[in-house]
Every structure is written in C-alpha cells, then in structure tokens.
Amino acid sequence: MCINLFSDVKLSSKWWGWGDASRSYDLETRPKFFKFLKEKLEITGEIIQQPVSLDSVKVSGTRVEEAFARRLVSIFGENNVRLDDRERFLHSFGKGYLDLICAWNGAPSSVPDVVVYPTSESQIEQLFGESAHWSFVVVPYGGATSVVGGVESRTRDAKPVVCLDFRLMNRVLEVDARSLLAKVQPGCLGPELERELNGAGVTLGHFPQSFEYSSVGGWVATRSAGYESTRYGKIEEMVESLRLVTPEGVIETPLVPASATGPNLLQILVGSEGTIGVITSVTLKLRKAPQSRSYVGVLFKTFTDGIEAVREMMQKEIVPNVVRLSDPNETRASLALASQNGGSLVEKVGTWYLARRGYFGSQGVVMILAFEGSPEWVDFERRRALATCRSFSGFSAGSGPGRTWYRERFDLPYLRDKLMGMGVLADTLETATTWSRLPGLHSKIMEAFSGAFQELHVPGYAMAHISHEYRTGASLYFTFMAKQLAGREEEEWRLIKNRVTDVIVNAGASLSHHHGVGVEHVKWMEQYYGPLGIRVLKAIKHELDPATIMNPDKLLPAS
Ligand SMILES: Cc1cc2nc3c(=O)[nH]c(=O)nc-3n(C[C@H](O)[C@H](O)[C@H](O)COP(=O)(O)OP(=O)(O)OC[C@H]3O[C@@H](n4cnc5c(N)ncnc54)[C@H](O)[C@@H]3O)c2cc1C
C-alpha cells in the first residue's frame, strides 16, 4: 500500500498558507484592528480571492528516468519514493510571500521531480553514491517554512530534482540530562522536540514564530532565532556538535563544550542551508526547564527612550528572555488589536490618565518583557529591568500586555492568509545592527518603505520591533503590508524588497539576522562579504560538493 506521507503528516495544515487548516484569523472579533487595517490599506475587507483547488493544479511531468526511480525505490523503499504530481507540487514551495502567490495560483516556479523520505543516514549516503551513475540535484526539505526560497526546486541543465523530506527522521535519539545535551534527528519539529525534552525536565529554549511547523535541521541550516534568543541565544549557540553527510563523505564535529583547534568547523557547517550536505543529526545544548515565568508590558513616551532602556539593560547584563520593543507604528497596530482583547492595560489603567502623562502620543511605544527561571531569579531580574525602564520614563503596565502577547505569539501568521484573500501583500523582513547605528537605520528603512509604496502608487503600512538583543546591538524586525497590484504581485514585492534591502546592506547591517539567504538574498551576498569572502565560501562548497549536487542557487552567487 502506498501511504500518502504528505497527507498523513500535513493535510491538517494549510498547503497554501500557514498552519492548522481548521484555524483562521478572525478579524470580525477585532473590529478596531480591522478598521485600522481597512483605513491604512484602503481595502474593503471583503474576501476577493481564494487559492486554487488542489485538484485543479497541473505540474510538468517528472524527469526521473524509470531505472533511476527503481534505484531510488531500492534505497528508500517503495512507500518512501513519491513521483506523483500532488506530492511533487506540495513540495515545491516554502512560506515566503512569493511562495504563497505561487501556491494560490497553483503555479510554482519549479517542482521537484521526485520526493523521497529517508529513514536513515546510510540511505542518504547511498543516494550520493548514485551521483556517479545518474545526474540529479538534491534539495533538503525540513518543515518548508523558509521565507527566502530555501526549498525551491532550482536546477541547472535540466537535471532532475530530488527533494529529501526528513519527516521520517524525527526522533530524539538521546538525552544526556547530566551534561544537558540531546542528540536529535533533523526532521524533528519544535513541539515534538519540546514535548520529549520537557518530559525529562529540560528545554532547548528555541521558539521561532514558526516553531510548530519548522524542524531542527531547518533551524540549524538557517541559523534561526527564537523569541527567547536574548537570553538563550540563537540556534547556532545551542549546537554542540553535528553530523553532515556531504557528497564527498561524512563530517562529524567533536562533541566538546569548547576548543582551541583553529577556525570553528562546526560554525562553518551551521547555516550552510543545504548547499554542502545534509544535516543528519544535531547534538543540542539544553537547559533545565524553568520553574517560573513572568511577563510585563512597559510604556515609553518615545521609541528613543525605549531603545535606550533596552541598551542599558543589555549593557548592565540584565538579560530577560524576551525584550520586544515596538516602534510607534507597531504600537498603534498593537493597541488597536489589544483594545478588543479585554484585560489590557488600556482598560485597567485608563487611557486618559496615561495620555495625560504623555504615554499615548503619536511617538509612544510599548515593550514586552518576559523572564524565566527560578522564582528568585525571575523576581530579581524583573525588578532590575523595571528599574532600568523607569530611569527612561518607562511606565509598567503590569502583566496583561505580556500575557496577551504570549497567548497570541503564534497567531499572527494566520492573519497573512486572511489579508491575502483581501488582496493585501503582507510580509516581514529583518536585519541586525549596532546600537549606535540602530535608530538611524530604523528611520532609513521606514523611509525606504514609504518611498517604495509611493513609487508603486499603493497604500501601504510598515512597522517594526526590536527583538533579539545583544550587548552591542539588536535585530530590527519589520512587518509590511500594501494593497496588492493584481497581476503584478511579484514585481510589487520585489520593488519593496529591493529598495529596503539595498538600504540595509549599504548601511553595513546584517543582510539577515535569522531568515537566512536562500535564493532571495543571494544577489547581495558579494556586497555583504566581499569578493574574497565569497571565494572562501565557494572553495568550501567546491571541496564538499564538487559536482554541485546540493541545493542549487541558494546561499552563494553562481560562478
Ligand atoms: C510564519 C513564519 C514565522 C517565522 N518565524 C521565524 C522566527 O521567529 N525565527 C526564525 O529564525 N525564522 C523564522 N521563520 C523562518 C523559518 O521558519 C526558519 O528559517 C526555519 O529555521 C526553517 O526551518 P524549516 O524546518 O522549515 O526549514 P526548511 O524551510 O525546510 O529549510 C530551510 C533551509 O534549510 C535547508 N535544510 C532543511 N533541512 C536541512 C537538513 N537536514 N540538512 C541540510 N539542510 C537543510 C533547506 O534546504 C533550506 O535551504 C518563520 C517563517 C514563517 C513562515
């Protein structure tokens, strides 16, 4: 019997959008926020488009020769080799805005020729062994939540694309509670991992917004960041060791807490985005599960005050798990949203009182802080953080705003699907820079968004928050929305993306703090690292993947 693996695992999730197919973002229950969006984006709020039906989708035929297909079946087993159109179509995009446009139109830019589900590392080695006999390329596929085209089935010279879906390699292989380490297979998704770790009284502490649907392999391949990264670090700081199967053989980095053995090989492999090999296991650093949690919202009169409070906290080594400081535009959107949620600060304290004290002016901003650990530690850190905020006129709004943020932290991606139906472009982008450059960069990026909306003659709205903070700087995360230009959706998105990314790279900020490079950021890589830097990365690729089998056109510019 042929099992429909994709259906088994993912049919409960939306192939054309985000998350659980039975859930959607209900704007009707948030009338103030809905009105806010309608005004800013000049939309009626009616649903004007829907994704095509899966049954109507047509894709080009597979280029896999029969004899190669038989060989794949002998390696992976009949049930785990899928050549049917539906499975191939469902593996042809990630979750970026352009991916969703392709999905809604049923017209992906490219489709894998075959999808295979490995169950062991040796099967992957055997696949690479076949490259001596057959011509093909390999696209590693984790949760497929990439927003930079990381799982696109790019190919050169019409080589068939083999999509390697790690869904069946999803086990936690070992938990060493004494050393606080866990060895995990790449296809393990966030909730599966945390469930197993929590059972042993530990946590990884990595919670990207895509947590429910993204995988360990994908996190490590893209240098992902979770919302608690300020305290726990990005994923690259959580990897103690990994195994990478490359077309030239296996590399396993030593399982040691630290070493002085030349350049850090582990960190060359982390973030390689499937372009030099396949991550088949990762040993992750754990923490004891926290006993206590606390949230607090803080209001500031200006974004500048908020930024200075965060900087001061980081530099005084006060490190909450979450520090999320919204800019004035995001604060306005959040307040429109919060006014429906009940129990918010606004209802409790009274808008009029705070407005009189200067907190709800057009420049006012809100910060969410979260603390985790032992009750004593949480109390200590919270008091120190609030004292720092007060020294920049921060007003503590109690735990309501923080609790609301925590409850709804995985909900907003559902809003994008709703907005798409209303004819709205909605996407995010991110960067990181130093404290000295951060305020200026934020202003320049906001100007670039406005300029792009004007150039396109579309109503649009951009907003940002600071999160993922460091002693030296922080990440800036932008959400942008614009009325869609029907039939010109890609052109519209590219113009906005190009204008803003040019500003980011010209300012010497990070091309990406956590989304990765994929195909969407490749064209800036040479400017970012310089020609010699790119030659070094290409030399590594050439050494491990001389026949350029691995994930074509991602990460590095073509020669
Ligand atoms: C709604 C939403 C919210 C998001 N929030 C965050 C966030 O908070 N933080 C964040 O960092 N990112 C976020 N992302 C981006 C995305 O979730 C991350 O990049 C994530 O790390 C990708 O994991 P994945 O398992 O989905 O990988 P995939 O999308 O499947 O793959 C990503 C890249 O890694 C490669 N890859 C996957 N598995 C392997 C492997 N085993 N070996 C080698 N290469 C591999 C793929 O080929 C691809 O190039 C978000 C995305 C969405 C859609």
Side-chain angles (χ1 to χ4, degrees):
M1 190 188 68
C2 193
I3 300 167
N4 186 342
L5 284 165
F6 193 96
S7 304
D8 283 355
V9 177
K10 293 193 176 169
L11 220 62
S12 57
S13 62
K14 274 186 227 133
W15 59 270
W16 50 269
W18 184 252
D20 185 339
S22 65
R23 275 177 67 190
S24 74
Y25 199 90
D26 190 358
L27 276 168
E28 302 296 340
T29 59
R30 298 166 159 95
K32 284 195 181 159
F33 183 53
F34 199 6
K35 184 166 173 272
F36 176 89
L37 291 174
K38 285 194 270 196
E39 279 171 11
K40 297 288 174 203
L41 303 172
E42 297 175 24
I43 52 169
T44 62
E46 303 293 312
I47 298 293
I48 56 171
Q49 55 191 4
Q50 285 185 336
V52 296
S53 97
L54 198 49
D55 293 332
S56 69
V57 171
K58 300 263 179 302
V59 299
S60 49
T62 178
R63 292 167 294 189
V64 168
E65 289 178 39
E66 244 184 88
F68 182 38
R70 277 199 299 275
R71 185 67 194 115
L72 291 176
V73 167
S74 74
I75 295 172
F76 296 98
E78 188 160 6
N79 290 346
N80 298 343
V81 176
R82 301 297 304 265
L83 290 145
D84 55 286
D85 290 355
R86 176 169 292 196
E87 192 81 358
R88 290 168 47 231
F89 170 70
L90 291 172
H91 282 80
S92 59
F93 36 77
K95 296 292 182 192
Y97 176 71
L98 294 186
D99 292 312
L100 298 194
I101 294 289
C102 290
W104 279 53
N105 294 334
S109 56
S110 49
V111 180
D113 294 277
V114 59
V115 179
V116 299
Y117 289 86
T119 54
S120 72
E121 184 180 282
S122 76
Q123 290 176 340
I124 298 165
E125 288 180 88
Q126 287 177 64
L127 172 68
F128 287 143
E130 290 305 310
S131 65
H133 313 293
W134 306 99
S135 163
F136 60 87
V137 299
V138 171
V139 176
Y141 185 99
T145 64
S146 170
V147 287
V148 289
V151 293
E152 259 186 39
S153 288
R154 295 280 180 118
T155 181
R156 300 220 189 101
D157 311 324
K159 289 181 185 170
V161 176
V162 178
C163 173
L164 268 187
D165 184 328
F166 299 105
R167 196 60 202 111
L168 298 180
M169 291 180 71
N170 65 340
R171 281 183 304 131
V172 176
L173 299 171
E174 195 184 323
V175 177
D176 174 354
R178 187 168 165 74
S179 307
L180 285 179
L181 292 169
K183 188 172 182 181
V184 185
Q185 289 187 312
C188 193
L189 301 185
E192 297 168 338
L193 175 67
E194 278 298 323
R195 222 177 357 258
E196 185 125 354
L197 295 182
N198 293 171
V202 287
T203 178
L204 177 63
H206 183 70
F207 304 105
Q209 194 182 37
S210 56
F211 172 76
E212 293 158 293
Y213 299 96
S214 54
S215 69
V216 168
W219 297 342
V220 175
T222 59
R223 303 181 86 89
S224 153
Y227 59 74
E228 300 199 31
S229 80
T230 299
R231 175 87 184 281
Y232 294 154
K234 290 179 76 214
I235 195 74
E236 60 263 32
E237 293 159 71
M238 301 178 178
V239 180
E240 189 90 325
S241 146
L242 62 73
R243 265 178 86 84
L244 186 85
V245 178
T246 80
E248 290 293 284
V250 178
I251 301 181
E252 180 164 11
T253 64
L255 185 67
V256 288
S259 67
T261 43
N264 192 329
L265 179 62
L266 172 65
Q267 289 301 334
I268 289 172
L269 310 182
V270 173
S272 54
E273 298 195 13
T275 60
I276 51 176
V278 170
I279 297 163
T280 52
S281 72
V282 186
T283 302
L284 295 162
K285 303 178 202 183
L286 312 175
R287 289 159 195 280
K288 304 247 185 212
Q291 299 159 274
S292 171
R293 280 199 179 90
S294 171
Y295 304 97
V296 63
V298 183
L299 300 180
F300 290 91
K301 291 176 185 170
T302 65
F303 193 37
T304 308
D305 282 348
I307 292 172
E308 284 308 293
V310 184
R311 184 178 68 82
E312 182 84 355
M313 273 192 264
M314 293 304 116
Q315 294 180 349
K316 276 174 27 191
E317 318 259 348
I318 303 166
V319 190
N321 290 62
V322 177
V323 185
R324 184 189 163 114
L325 174 71
S326 296
D327 74 356
N329 276 10
E330 193 178 272
T331 301
R332 258 171 254 151
S334 309
L335 289 175
L337 189 61
S339 60
Q340 267 75 237
N341 283 330
S344 73
L345 150 85
V346 184
E347 279 83 20
K348 279 185 178 158
V349 185
T351 313
W352 63 270
Y353 171 70
L354 288 165
R356 273 177 53 184
R357 292 188 55 188
Y359 286 99
F360 283 122
S362 63
Q363 298 308 306
V365 297
V366 65
M367 179 195 284
I368 302 294
L369 295 169
F371 308 86
E372 275 188 13
S374 67
E376 304 76 39
W377 171 261
V378 166
D379 185 51
F380 176 67
E381 282 293 271
R382 186 181 154 116
R383 276 192 285 112
R384 292 204 314 148
L386 287 179
T388 306
C389 290
R390 273 195 301 277
S391 64
F392 293 92
S393 305
F395 178 90
S396 168
S399 57
R403 284 223 198 90
T404 304
W405 166 81
Y406 185 75
R407 198 175 52 239
E408 299 183 355
R409 69 201 186 287
F410 296 137
D411 290 355
L412 272 184
Y414 289 92
L415 174 60
R416 179 167 68 164
D417 300 339
K418 200 45 149 308
L419 291 173
M420 285 267 288
M422 294 173 186
V424 172
L425 177 170
D427 203 4
T428 62
L429 55 79
E430 39 74 38
T431 180
T433 192
T434 58
W435 289 119
S436 307
R437 294 175 176 176
L438 191 138
L441 181 64
H442 172 263
S443 303
K444 279 193 196 144
I445 292 177
M446 293 302 275
E447 280 164 26
F449 275 121
S450 301
F453 298 148
Q454 272 172 24
E455 207 174 328
L456 289 161
H457 303 288
V458 289
Y461 193 74
M463 55 191 181
H465 59 254
I466 291 175
S467 51
H468 313 292
E469 292 81 1
Y470 306 88
R471 272 204 310 286
T472 53
S475 148
L476 272 167
Y477 185 95
F478 293 84
T479 301
F480 58 102
M481 295 174 278
K483 195 167 179 170
Q484 253 177 5
L485 289 173
R488 293 169 54 204
E489 292 87 357
E490 178 169 351
E491 175 197 335
E492 178 185 19
W493 180 87
R494 285 210 183 281
L495 188 138
I496 300 170
K497 176 85 177 169
N498 287 342
R499 295 287 180 272
V500 174
T501 310
D502 281 344
V503 167
I504 289 173
V505 179
N506 290 338
S510 176
L511 173 55
S512 169
H513 171 265
H514 58 267
H515 284 164
V517 179
V519 293
E520 294 307 344
H521 290 141
V522 167
K523 73 174 189 178
W524 289 278
M525 278 292 272
E526 187 147 330
Q527 185 184 351
Y528 188 67
Y529 275 138
L532 192 54
I534 292 299
R535 266 171 58 197
V536 171
L537 293 179
K538 281 189 172 172
I540 294 168
K541 161 117 177 134
H542 183 71
E543 205 56 45
L544 297 175
D545 180 26
T548 53
I549 295 172
M550 296 304 305
N551 220 1
D553 294 347
K554 319 288 163 40
L555 190 63
L556 293 170
S559 294

